[in-house]
Amino acid sequence: MATFEVTRRTLLGTLAIGLAAAPGLTARAEDAWPSRLVRLVSPYGPGGSNDISLRLLAEEFGRSQRQQFIVENKPGAGTRIANDVVAHAPGDGYTFLYVAAPYATAEALFGKLTYDRKDLQPVAMAVVAPLFLIISADAPFKTLPALIAYGKSKPDGLTFASPGAGSQPHLAGELLFRDAGVKGLNIPFRGDAASYTELLAGRVDATLTALPTALPYIQSGKFIVLGVASPERSPLYPQAPTLREQGFPNVAAAGWYGFMAPATTPRMIVDKLQAEILRALAEPAIKDKLTAQGLEVRAGTAVEFAEFIDNETQKWTRLIHDAGLKGE
């Protein structure tokens, strides 16, 4: 009996010591972050601006933190697959999402999702991809007013190519149709290349697209830029007037990317990654490389990013509701 009592007291004492030490152990683990490989999940496949910019930042994080940051591509379902993967990942600080603009429109377009927005927390905003209104040089119109007049002259209105329902090019096109008072039909394609093929063939009237993939066509004279859907002219192509300058103040949209973490990720780790992201984005060499990819640095804290996402969600939810849009 005595032996049992000693053993029990010993076990209870050991347990108490362990529990008392646990917070300290956790704090030391967070202090040591990252102590192993960090997974950065991209919602798109390899080769696009999301993937390219993430790999550039991952390389910089790895150099700075002396730890491996790998990019894991989880494309599909309008970015919802990647969102779901990270929303349900352990909050241990070793899985993050490089979230994209469709995150703000998914629920309005597709209804109930397989994840809840409360399962993810913002870490930092990173970059934006301005959208340029592009037409074929062979089109029977050469200016935005002429494009609108052409659409009004046709019973079925204008046709716009986009990389999918709920994408920023699709939604910006819907805004333009609404504010111009012209009928319009969004025609979704798998990526920019297919959109450009249809545009060059004259089977669609226009598209809104990021600059890098369209630039060779612009430089060769095959495409004409009618404007940019940004509040201000883009330094990437400053000769393009904004749609606001041309009488469409509400038509403002852009692709955007930033970092999110599972909601249970410790605040200390989120703050560390936030600081690392903001540091990297302030590096002139990183800025130059992102600019070369047609991206503008738009660094923001977790608080600023959360506010930005909320504003984007409210803005596009109203449009989706008013226009009766539904995801595919």
Side-chain angles (χ1 to χ4, degrees):
M1 187 69 173
T3 303
F4 172 77
E5 287 297 325
V6 171
T7 304
R8 186 180 68 166
R9 284 197 297 271
T10 303
L11 288 173
L12 290 175
T14 302
L15 178 60
I17 292 170
L19 290 173
L25 289 173
T26 302
R28 285 195 292 275
E30 293 172 12
D31 285 339
W33 181 91
S35 60
R36 56 185 170 87
L37 180 149
V38 180
R39 182 171 63 142
L40 305 176
V41 179
S42 167
Y44 296 109
S49 58
N50 176 282
D51 176 72
I52 291 171
S53 59
L54 179 56
R55 291 179 187 278
L56 173 65
L57 291 171
E59 182 179 354
E60 175 64 17
F61 299 160
R63 183 199 63 77
S64 171
Q65 295 296 315
R66 298 182 179 180
Q67 189 56 257
Q68 190 175 10
F69 286 71
I70 65 163
V71 174
E72 185 173 310
N73 299 97
K74 293 287 185 182
T79 77
R80 285 171 287 149
I81 290 175
N83 299 346
D84 181 83
V85 166
V86 179
H88 292 103
D92 57 5
Y94 291 91
T95 301
F96 296 92
L97 172 68
Y98 196 45
V99 68
Y103 174 81
T105 61
E107 193 167 359
L109 281 168
F110 300 100
K112 187 172 178 59
L113 305 173
T114 56
Y115 58 90
D116 194 301
R117 285 180 57 163
K118 73 178 187 310
D119 296 330
L120 290 162
Q121 61 173 313
V123 178
M125 188 168 180
V127 295
V128 298
L131 297 178
F132 292 83
L133 179 60
I134 308 292
I135 62 170
S136 168
D138 295 329
F141 37 79
K142 299 293 185 287
T143 64
L144 180 53
L147 170 66
I148 299 302
Y150 177 80
K152 289 182 177 179
S153 72
K154 298 174 63 180
D156 296 327
L158 295 171
T159 52
F160 259 60
S162 83
S167 64
Q168 290 294 296
H170 169 210
L171 297 176
E174 295 288 350
L175 272 177
L176 183 60
F177 298 152
R178 184 193 70 181
D179 289 3
V182 62
K183 292 181 181 178
L185 175 66
N186 168 64
I187 304 176
F189 295 96
R190 290 184 177 273
D192 289 327
S195 296
Y196 297 165
T197 297
E198 297 302 295
L199 193 59
L200 289 168
R203 289 188 285 266
V204 294
D205 298 319
T207 190
L208 282 142
T209 185
L211 190 64
T213 50
L215 195 57
Y217 297 92
I218 297 167
Q219 293 172 334
S220 66
K222 293 180 179 179
F223 285 170
I224 296 173
V225 181
L226 298 187
V228 62
S230 299
E232 307 294 338
R233 292 197 183 201
S234 171
L236 301 173
Y237 198 79
Q239 58 267 52
T242 66
L243 300 184
R244 173 180 289 178
E245 289 176 59
Q246 301 180 74
F248 299 97
N250 297 317
V251 186
W256 51 261
Y257 311 130
F259 291 85
M260 301 190 84
T264 54
T265 305
R267 185 75 249 166
M268 186 181 294
I269 292 177
V270 170
D271 289 345
K272 280 188 173 184
L273 181 58
Q274 173 186 264
E276 177 64 15
I277 294 164
L278 299 182
R279 180 205 62 77
L281 292 171
E283 292 285 342
I286 298 295
K287 284 186 174 181
D288 290 345
K289 289 177 181 178
L290 290 170
T291 298
Q293 295 300 325
L295 298 168
E296 297 176 7
V297 171
R298 193 73 57 83
T301 65
V303 172
E304 291 167 338
F305 194 26
E307 183 179 358
F308 174 85
I309 291 172
D310 286 344
N311 290 337
E312 286 286 287
T313 301
Q314 292 171 20
K315 169 185 172 180
W316 294 117
T317 297
R318 286 194 297 269
L319 170 69
I320 290 165
H321 179 268
D322 293 345
L325 302 176
K326 289 294 180 183
E328 298 177 348

